[in-house]
Amino acid sequence: MAELELDQLVNVVLRRVADRLGQTPDRSRDEWQPALLVAGNWKMNAPGGGAGEALVEFASHLALAPQTGVDTLVFPPATLISSVRSALAGAGASTEVGSQDLHWEPSGAHTGEVSADLVLAAGATWTLVGHSERRAAGETHDQVKAKLHRAVASGLSAVLCVGEGLDDRTNGSTFRVLRVQVQTALAGLALRGVTPGRMAIAYEPVWAIGTGRVAEPAQIDEACAFIRTVAGEEFGAAWASRLRVLYGGSVTEESAADILAIDQVGGLLVGGASLSPKRFAAIVEAGAARAQNLSAQGGGS
Ligand code: 13P
């Protein structure tokens, strides 16, 4: 049997098993909802340029922000993972640290790259995969898939980033683009037994990143719902209902609460505003307020 056919067969079987598991009675959707996830992607920047005192200040602001019902996470440049992790631990913040990228090979002659094991050793527990800025630099769908599978196999949790460009949006290709990005990256991942808490998918429309233009609530809601549906084709509906689908693209402390109020949104991936300790802490606070609101409503909106 050709390798592809075998792969497809395995996927069908796994999907059926996942769907069966999803039908397990006695577990209401509410009990299974994970906390909201508020993450900051510093890109090739760091608060105060990455100086030790600036990281300590960042960590202490974050430690003070109410974080009940919110998981927090920052993605500093790779060289700062270890010092950011120490600063957060020193301030008593529960925030985890992630890598912005990783190579799909475990080690080898790949000058300038970082492996999953190297970022784990530096203190990272998460990684971003497939950010549009990396895709724009030539990263292919298959490379994104290989990175995601490597991350999961190595014990890193991962945020898969997807999103359409402006041309895709204007020519009506948004859902086709999202389907290819999500489906390719997730193919075969159910085999690895990843739990929904160890993964998130960030919907980041390219035209909203760094532009000051936030997607409309209806656009965010339908894109996130679609991403969840496509994820469910790999993992089953019950798994997908617990997946955190984040929104990213020009999120600020002013817009955070409204975006978090969108039904399908399970958190935020914040770029520019995550570099300011005060602004990021305010966004985390908006997450805590939304989590409180959700729990008062009995876990769903
Ligand atoms: P901005 O919040 O700066 O638009 O960046 C979003 C982003 O790319 C997060 O990964």
Side-chain angles (χ1 to χ4, degrees):
M1 183 180 281
E3 203 180 315
L4 187 63
E5 285 170 350
L6 184 61
D7 203 31
Q8 283 169 340
L9 184 67
V10 168
N11 274 335
V12 170
V13 173
L14 284 167
R15 216 172 292 148
R16 297 238 167 105
V17 171
D19 279 338
R20 281 280 165 80
L21 291 173
Q23 287 161 11
T24 308
D26 306 330
R27 291 204 146 131
S28 74
R29 187 176 184 272
D30 297 352
E31 285 175 285
W32 282 83
Q33 288 311 296
L36 295 170
L37 178 60
V38 175
N41 175 10
W42 293 356
K43 308 189 178 182
M44 202 169 67
N45 309 291
E53 321 84 71
L55 300 182
V56 169
E57 191 201 336
F58 184 93
S60 48
H61 261 91
L62 211 46
L64 290 175
Q67 293 183 27
T68 314
V70 194
D71 292 337
T72 55
L73 177 56
V74 284
F75 294 98
T79 52
L80 291 177
I81 290 173
S82 172
S83 41
V84 171
R85 169 86 187 224
S86 302
L88 290 165
S94 57
T95 307
E96 290 184 76
V97 183
S99 175
Q100 295 175 12
D101 192 28
L102 81 172
H103 199 275
W104 56 87
E105 293 290 350
S107 62
H110 302 288
T111 304
E113 300 283 351
V114 288
S115 68
D117 283 352
L118 289 172
V119 299
L120 276 160
T125 46
W126 285 77
T127 187
L128 288 178
V129 175
H131 192 280
S132 62
E133 286 151 14
R134 299 222 54 85
R135 292 181 195 258
E139 193 166 87
T140 66
H141 295 310
D142 284 341
Q143 288 171 344
V144 173
K145 174 185 178 182
K147 289 177 176 194
L148 183 60
H149 283 241
R150 171 63 58 198
V152 168
S154 305
L156 281 167
S157 301
V159 178
L160 168 69
C161 302
V162 298
E164 81 286 1
L166 189 56
D167 284 356
D168 305 319
R169 172 63 64 181
T170 46
N171 71 24
S173 309
T174 297
F175 294 100
R176 191 182 54 75
V177 168
L178 292 177
R179 170 170 284 285
V180 170
Q181 291 176 338
V182 175
Q183 207 169 37
T184 313
L186 298 189
L189 206 59
L191 248 183
R192 299 192 185 271
V194 57
T195 61
R198 287 192 50 214
M199 237 193 88
I201 301 182
Y203 170 56
E204 300 205 297
V206 179
W207 48 271
I209 295 177
T211 58
R213 184 178 165 198
V214 177
E216 294 298 324
Q219 293 173 325
I220 297 175
D221 202 39
E222 66 173 359
C224 293
F226 181 75
I227 288 167
R228 197 181 296 286
T229 300
V230 178
E233 291 167 10
E234 169 69 21
F235 289 103
W239 189 100
S241 75
R242 290 176 279 140
L243 174 71
R244 288 174 289 193
V245 184
L246 318 180
Y247 170 78
S250 297
V251 175
T252 62
E253 61 279 32
E254 283 91 24
S255 60
D258 287 347
I259 301 170
L260 285 164
I262 297 168
D263 191 40
Q264 288 288 331
V265 170
L268 301 169
L269 180 55
V270 186
S274 72
L275 288 165
S276 151
K278 283 194 187 132
R279 297 181 71 194
F280 191 57
I283 294 169
V284 170
E285 258 184 81
R290 171 64 174 156
Q292 199 174 29
N293 195 260
L294 280 172
S295 87
Q297 289 173 31
S301 55

